[in-house]
Amino acid sequence: EDKVVQSPLSLVVHEGDTVTLNCSYEVTNFRSLLWYKQEKKAPTFLFMLTSSGIEKKSGRLSSILDKKELFSILNITATQTGDSAVYLCAVVLIQGAQKLVFGQGTRLTINP
Amino acid sequence: DSGVTQTPKHLITATGQRVTLRCSPRSGDLSVYWYQQSLDQGLQFLIQYYNGEERAKGNILERFSAQQFPDLHSELNLSSLELGDSALYFCASSLGQGSSYEQYFGPGTRLTVT
């Protein structure tokens, strides 16, 4: 069974801290890995990772994929209260057609 | 605002009933995806359509069906509703059908089955 596991499930830090969110997967026919941020409403896209070892960066957020060890991390530096959200990791599989499997999410709370 | 619209925003109905959720993708997007998000199951991929044809199927129950129309809007039909079907249903759209295309999510329809 295809599985995506995120850790920690919940994290509370102070503003200015750096956080690392983890996503590990056990799937067949891996194609790519996606990170989303979900606040009160719909998920918004952050990154898509396809190749191992290539860091993707957007402002204070960065992410990298390790296809040998089957995991990805999402780093957020100098956190702000606006970073509080649920961060979702999803793996895209190709099984004839495309399929997405999501992790449970990490609920990140940034306290001022 | 992602450009993806979903109606209705909220829906309250009784067990055994049938409902239809509607999604209009972003202008120019050909793919539509449906997801279910519940507290205990997290976000689950249901089904994908590309230019009117079914392209991928996830954890979609037989009581659920979907279609994409020539104008590219999509509908998700849920029948014989059960209490466990209460969830937030998201639609997302993308330009193409492959994994290299970013998906944009709509605001969701919150379904409550009583």
Side-chain angles (χ1 to χ4, degrees), chain A residues 25-81:
Chain A
Y25 58 91
E26 288 180 35
V27 301
T28 53
N29 301 309
F30 174 91
R31 180 67 179 260
S32 58
L33 187 144
L34 310 174
W35 282 98
Y36 291 90
K37 176 183 181 182
Q38 186 175 24
E39 297 173 85
K40 288 180 183 175
K41 294 185 179 178
T44 53
F45 174 83
L46 295 175
F47 297 110
M48 182 178 74
L49 304 158
T50 307
S51 302
S52 247
I54 299 174
E55 186 184 51
K56 293 234 174 162
K57 220 169 153 56
S58 176
R60 296 176 294 102
L61 277 67
S62 64
S63 183
I64 197 160
L65 173 67
D66 185 328
K67 288 166 77 172
K68 185 179 173 188
E69 300 298 330
L70 309 182
F71 77 92
S72 173
I73 58 172
L74 175 69
N75 277 319
I76 310 176
T77 59
T79 52
Q80 302 170 357
T81 53

Side-chain angles (χ1 to χ4, degrees), chain B residues 6-8 11 18-23 32-36 46-47 49 60-61 63-69 73-79 88-91 109 111:
Chain B
Q6 289 186 250
T7 57
L11 198 48
R18 174 190 169 93
V19 297
T20 297
L21 312 184
R22 184 188 166 104
C23 167
V32 168
Y33 306 77
W34 285 98
Y35 297 88
Q36 178 193 57
L46 295 177
I47 198 164
Y49 280 84
I60 188 165
L61 299 171
R63 300 183 285 109
F64 296 0
S65 65
Q67 54 184 325
Q68 187 180 28
F69 294 88
H73 91 271
S74 178
E75 292 181 356
L76 179 67
N77 299 297
L78 314 176
S79 61
L88 195 52
Y89 290 83
F90 287 109
C91 163
T109 292
L111 173 67

Side-chain angles (χ1 to χ4, degrees), chain A residues 31 38 42 45 48 97-98 100, chain B residues 35 37 55-56 98-99 102 106:
Chain A
R31 180 67 179 260
Q38 186 175 24
F45 174 83
M48 182 178 74
Q98 179 179 278
L100 276 74
Chain B
Y35 297 88
Q37 188 171 40
R55 272 291 182 260
S99 61
E102 178 178 340

